């Protein structure tokens, strides 16, 4: 009876095309915490909970890389930026494209298994600062989780591609957006949000992974004091604000990574700028503005704040501290330390004790930083440069709001002990606060004077162009082991492998591989369109593959306009390589139409207003109208 039963099961699976390997157990806590030993799959955003983006696979190595070639590519019919880290489980690749659309593809062939379009209203683009991007999904117990641009968190059945549950994580009447990936932490899906350029109150929420029921929500900035505070942490934070900050929301959004240390049961995330950007527009008086521009640790069980480290007290320059957080156990000054690291927008590489938040070290990883003269060696508090802030008078400051490094994922090779990251030297920004700024719920609320045409503008335009490079950073000695400059400013996310290789794409469409120990370039491929997203690697049936999303857009599409010619907009696609790959790429091309990108732009301004209709182009001058949408101005609040 038992034998007959198994035989019929085998027969049934054979008939519907399920192979034995697909009968492996679903992604659960054991598989996630053991992801490091699961070399064939890429189960979560940074591959493992410590977010090393380091793969043990070695089939693609210094000897074989000359034969590395394209195996398949799949165009995603978008000219917007693509930023996602694809996940791979059991031969299926899960990723996201523009407008929070989710794709499940055969990882060997690129054939589409299913597509899920959450149908985000296109008018939301008006309240999305930095293109209609998404950085990827999470996998857990047979479901695929995605956060959408209109603030939903959706659980999708991994087999069928059909939604199982959907919750609104934000109030749709407010200018929130979700572009970040969801993080799984013991039965929960954790998600943040964006919107501090418009005026929202930042928070992180945890949902039951099975039901979608909210478990906890932790705010990053205090709300209206007359309504009381949600926690002691919020009460403390309120003492560091002045004026009526809550009216513009406060900001401090957690728009990028949320990482998890299962052994300490702590979740870590960075927070963005305050609303408005400029200190004196937020009020007179105490101005640290906790917990904006900070790295926070909260207890996964209840969301309670465990520690905080503010990288930029009273931020005046859009120095979000949301960049990727990377965990490692390092020996520093002869002492084993559990650290968390960040290459921050503000140009400093931070090493903190991730158990306590204690500042261990912080060093500039780029040249030409002008906002701070250094960090206090004990506390890590910046020693602000007197030239970086002059009340409401305009100043030129480096780095600019695009950052010395931004959301692009970084990688750590435990064998070399080096962190690999994209860096920009010498970015500059003219910060001209608008003294007349008043919070306007129907527009961006950066507080900048877009009409400024004073002498600093000429000075800015005469400054040398910034320079991009891949850096191998030694976090113990706090210095670069090597730097590999590239001919463009903007580099993408990074992958490191045990075969002494580092992979990285960049703005001009080149996907390159470097030797991890010395930065010598050993391979390259022209993807036909700029790359921002990080490559990943996985194996199916004994073959190692490297995949990357190629698609140029995001805030970098309009920042550094003098280098516009180096960037390669085009039709976004996913590309997959293996040793011996012989497929050819014939990119669809198009001619640029419409007005050139303005030299300095930082709001998602409507490009055309006609009869009350707005043509939304938010950060998409490179989209050539292809994804622009006409519609009535959304009514928010
Ligand atoms: Ca920001």
């Amino acid at each position: 009876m038992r034998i007959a039963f198994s035989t019929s099961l085998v027969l049934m699976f054979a008939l519907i095309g399920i192979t034995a390997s697909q009968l492996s157990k679903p992604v659960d806590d054991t598989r996630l915490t053991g992801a490091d030993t699961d070399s064939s799959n890429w189960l979560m955003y940074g591959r493992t909970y410590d977010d090393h983006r380091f793969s043990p696979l070695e089939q693609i190595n210094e000897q074989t890389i000359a034969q590395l070639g394209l195996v398949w590519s799949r165009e995603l019919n978008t000219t917007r930026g693509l930023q996602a880290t694809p996940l791979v489980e059991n031969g299926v690749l899960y990723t996201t494209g523009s407008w929070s659309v989710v794709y499940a593809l055969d990882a060997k062939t690129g054939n589409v298994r299913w597509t899920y379009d959450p149908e985000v209203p296109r008018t939301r683009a008006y309240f999305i600062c930095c293109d209609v991007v998404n950085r990827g999904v999470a996998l857990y117990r047979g479901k695929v989780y995605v956060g959408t641009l209109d603030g939903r968190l959706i659980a999708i059945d991994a087999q069928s591609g059909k939604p199982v549950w959907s919750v609104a994580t934000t109030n749709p009447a407010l200018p929130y957006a979700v572009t970040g990936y969801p993080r799984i932490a013991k039965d929960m899906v954790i998600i943040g949000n964006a919107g501090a350029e418009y005026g929202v109150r930042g928070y992180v929420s945890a949902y039951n992974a099975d039901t979608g029921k909210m478990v906890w929500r932790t705010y990053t900035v205090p709300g209206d004091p007359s309504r009381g505070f949600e926690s002691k942490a919020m009460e403390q934070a309120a003492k560091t604000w002045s004026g009526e900050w809550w009216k513009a929301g406060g900001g401090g959004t957690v728009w990028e990574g949320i990482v998890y240390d299962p052994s300490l049961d702590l979740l870590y995330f960075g927070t963005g700028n305050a609303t408005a950007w400029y200190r004196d527009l937020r009020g007179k008086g105490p101005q640290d503005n906790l917990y904006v521009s900070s790295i926070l640790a909260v207890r996964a069980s209840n969301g309670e704040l465990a520690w905080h480290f503010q990288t930029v007290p009273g931020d005046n320059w859009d120095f979000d501290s949301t960049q990727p957080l990377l965990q490692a156990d390092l020996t520093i000054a002869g002492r084993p330390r559990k650290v968390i690291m960040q290459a921050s927008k503000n140009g400093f590489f931070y090493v903190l004790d991730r158990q306590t938040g204690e500042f261990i070290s912080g060093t500039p990883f780029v040249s030409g930083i002008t906002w701070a003269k250094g960090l206090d060696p004990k506390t890590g508090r910046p020693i602000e440069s007197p030239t970086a802030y002059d009340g409401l008078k305009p100043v030129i400051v480096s780095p600019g709001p695009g950052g010395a490094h931004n959301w692009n994922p970084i990688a750590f090779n435990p064998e070399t002990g080096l962190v690999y990251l994209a860096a920009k030297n010498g970015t500059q920004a003219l910060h001209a606060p608008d003294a007349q700024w008043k919070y306007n719920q129907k527009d961006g609320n950066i507080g900048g004077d877009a009409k400024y045409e004073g002498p600093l503008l000429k000075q800015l335009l005469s400054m040398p162009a910034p320079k991009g490079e891949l850096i191998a950073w030694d976090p113990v000695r706090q210095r670069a082991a090597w730097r590999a400059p590239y001919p463009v400013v903007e580099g993408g996310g990074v992958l490191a492998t045990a075969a002494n290789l580092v992979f990285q794409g960049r703005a001009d469409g080149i996907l390159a591989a470097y030797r991890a120990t010395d930065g010598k370039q050993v391979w390259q491929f022209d993807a036909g369109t700029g790359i921002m997203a990080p490559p990943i690697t996985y194996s199916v049936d004994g073959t190692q593959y490297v995949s990357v999303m190629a698609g140029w857009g995001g805030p970098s599409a309009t920042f550094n306009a003098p280098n516009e010619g180096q960037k390669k907009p085009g039709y976004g696609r996913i590309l997959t390589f293996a040793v011996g790959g012989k497929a050819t790429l014939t990119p669809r091309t198009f001619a640029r139409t419409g007005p050139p990108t303005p030299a300095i732009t930082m709001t998602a301004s409507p490009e055309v207003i006609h009869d009350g209709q707005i043509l939304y182009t938010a950060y998409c001058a490179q989209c050539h109208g292809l994804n622009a949408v006409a519609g009535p101005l959304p009514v928010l609040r």
Side-chain angles (χ1 to χ4, degrees):
M1 202 49 206
R2 196 180 188 87
I3 292 163
F5 181 65
S6 336
T7 310
S8 65
L9 257 186
V10 169
L11 185 66
M12 187 179 83
F13 289 132
L15 285 172
I16 57 175
I18 297 176
T19 62
S21 66
Q22 286 166 304
L23 292 171
S24 71
K25 59 188 186 123
V27 177
D28 57 10
D29 293 320
T30 310
R31 284 193 67 191
L32 290 179
T33 49
D36 190 34
T37 56
D38 186 355
S39 61
S40 56
N41 294 310
W42 191 287
L43 297 181
M44 65 180 113
Y45 191 68
R47 189 173 173 269
T48 50
Y49 269 131
D50 45 21
D51 279 85
H52 287 183
R53 289 179 182 268
F54 174 77
S55 167
L57 295 176
E58 293 184 287
Q59 191 177 87
I60 301 167
N61 55 46
E62 287 184 63
Q63 283 70 48
T64 60
I65 198 154
Q67 283 81 53
L68 187 66
L70 189 67
V71 177
W72 59 263
S73 70
R74 178 151 295 278
E75 199 181 277
L76 299 178
N77 200 30
T78 180
T79 52
R80 297 272 196 173
L82 297 174
Q83 298 185 342
T85 296
L87 305 190
V88 173
E89 206 265 325
N90 236 336
V92 183
L93 184 148
Y94 303 90
T95 194
T96 56
S98 306
W99 299 107
S100 328
V101 175
V102 184
Y103 301 89
L105 309 174
D106 186 305
K108 252 169 95 168
T109 63
N111 290 339
V112 178
R113 293 228 170 170
W114 53 258
T115 301
Y116 175 72
D117 183 352
E119 297 179 349
V120 173
R122 291 336 194 217
T123 50
R124 292 301 298 192
Y126 186 69
F127 292 103
I128 294 161
C129 79
C130 308
D131 205 350
V132 294
V133 294
N134 185 280
R135 283 179 289 278
V137 297
L139 298 178
Y140 194 52
R141 295 183 188 156
K143 295 189 186 72
V144 181
Y145 300 89
V146 66
T148 67
L149 286 167
D150 55 355
R152 287 171 287 162
L153 177 65
I154 302 175
I156 303 161
D157 183 274
Q159 285 293 324
S160 68
K162 299 279 185 285
V164 179
W165 56 255
S166 172
V167 291
T169 73
T170 58
N171 178 351
L174 301 177
Y176 284 103
V178 176
T179 58
Y181 62 93
R183 170 67 68 184
I184 303 295
K186 56 175 194 186
D187 300 342
M188 294 179 290
V189 192
I190 322 290
I191 192 86
N193 47 58
E197 267 67 40
Y198 300 89
V200 294
R201 186 181 178 198
Y203 58 85
V204 166
S205 316
Y207 294 87
N208 180 288
D210 292 329
T211 63
K213 188 172 182 290
M214 192 165 87
V215 183
W216 53 258
R217 173 165 292 173
T218 296
Y219 288 96
T220 61
V221 294
D224 182 351
S226 74
R227 294 185 171 189
F229 299 106
E230 292 88 353
S231 64
K232 197 81 193 158
M234 285 300 102
E235 193 177 345
Q236 292 295 328
K239 293 173 187 158
T240 66
W241 290 77
S242 55
E244 296 178 309
W245 73 88
W246 62 89
K247 290 191 169 172
T253 48
V254 183
W255 58 264
E256 224 298 287
I258 299 171
V259 304
Y260 180 49
D261 181 340
S263 63
L264 297 175
D265 202 32
L266 291 175
L267 287 163
Y268 307 94
F269 46 83
T271 61
N273 58 281
T275 312
W277 277 7
Y278 300 110
R279 197 177 287 171
D280 284 29
L281 297 180
R282 300 196 290 267
K284 302 273 180 214
Q287 283 292 19
D288 273 8
N289 305 143
L290 291 170
Y291 299 94
V292 305
S293 301
S294 299
I295 296 168
L296 306 183
V298 303
R299 297 184 207 295
S301 48
N302 58 11
E304 196 181 289
L305 187 69
W307 56 255
H308 75 274
F309 176 82
Q310 192 171 39
T311 53
V312 188
D315 174 37
N316 197 62
W317 311 279
D318 188 33
F319 286 154
D320 306 73
S321 201
T322 47
Q323 295 71 48
L325 294 162
L326 201 153
Q327 303 171 52
D329 294 352
L330 303 176
T331 302
I332 297 175
R335 228 178 113 190
R337 304 292 298 253
K338 287 180 178 296
V339 307
I340 195 157
M341 303 181 270
Q342 183 182 68
S344 203
K345 238 190 186 189
N346 71 33
F348 286 85
F349 191 97
Y350 291 88
V351 181
L352 309 178
D353 183 317
R354 73 175 182 276
Q355 299 177 101
T356 61
E358 183 197 339
F359 173 75
I360 296 175
S361 62
T363 304
F365 59 91
V366 292
S367 56
I369 293 174
T370 64
W371 75 277
K373 294 202 275 188
L375 306 179
D376 181 294
K378 275 208 164 60
T379 64
R381 191 182 173 96
I383 302 152
E384 209 174 286
S385 164
T387 60
Y389 165 74
D390 190 9
L392 291 173
K393 294 205 182 80
V395 285
I396 292 176
V397 172
S398 181
H405 174 77
N406 207 331
W407 63 270
N408 312 74
I410 63 180
F412 177 68
N413 180 332
E415 292 164 15
T416 61
L418 301 174
V419 177
Y420 302 90
L421 63 110
K424 289 181 283 185
N425 293 276
T427 65
Q428 307 284 347
L430 168 56
H431 289 280
D434 175 7
Q436 307 306 312
W437 172 78
K438 287 217 165 36
Y439 170 64
N440 175 357
Q441 64 185 46
K442 289 182 178 168
D443 208 345
N445 283 287
I446 283 166
D449 179 3
K451 295 194 178 72
Y452 174 85
E453 283 182 354
L456 288 190
L457 182 60
K458 202 174 162 194
Q459 190 184 326
L460 177 78
L461 295 174
S462 69
M463 293 174 101
K467 288 189 163 66
E469 62 189 8
L470 175 66
I471 300 180
W473 189 260
D474 181 336
V476 174
R477 291 173 188 84
Q478 282 281 29
R479 64 176 189 225
W482 52 259
R483 293 169 186 267
Y486 25 72
V488 290
V489 180
E490 305 281 350
V494 180
L495 162 71
T497 76
N500 198 31
L501 294 174
V502 177
F503 291 85
Q504 185 201 29
R506 53 187 208 221
D508 57 359
I510 298 297
L511 176 66
Y514 300 84
R515 208 150 61 192
T517 37
D518 63 7
K520 182 183 187 303
Q521 189 181 311
V522 291
W523 176 85
Q524 72 169 51
F525 180 89
D526 187 349
T529 185
I531 300 169
M532 304 188 281
I536 61 151
T537 187
Y538 57 92
S539 75
V540 185
D541 298 337
T543 300
Q544 183 188 356
Y545 298 91
V546 168
S547 276
V548 68
M549 310 284 292
W552 191 249
S556 308
T558 49
F559 274 68
N560 307 313
N563 303 291
E564 193 67 30
Q566 301 174 342
K567 296 168 186 169
K568 202 178 273 184
Y571 286 91
R573 59 180 64 87
I574 177 163
L575 300 163
T576 297
F577 304 86
V579 173
K582 297 259 184 315
T584 51
L585 179 68
T586 42
R588 261 205 287 168
T589 54
F590 53 82
R592 175 181 286 277
T593 58
T597 309
I600 301 162
T601 169
M602 195 47 221
T603 53
S605 345
E607 198 162 87
V608 177
I609 303 178
H610 179 67
D611 291 341
Q613 297 282 299
I614 291 180
L615 186 66
Y616 302 105
T617 56
Y619 269 135
C620 202
Q622 82 284 13
C623 292
H624 311 269
L626 286 166
N627 277 333
V629 175
L633 180 69
V635 179
L636 298 189
R637 281 187 212 258

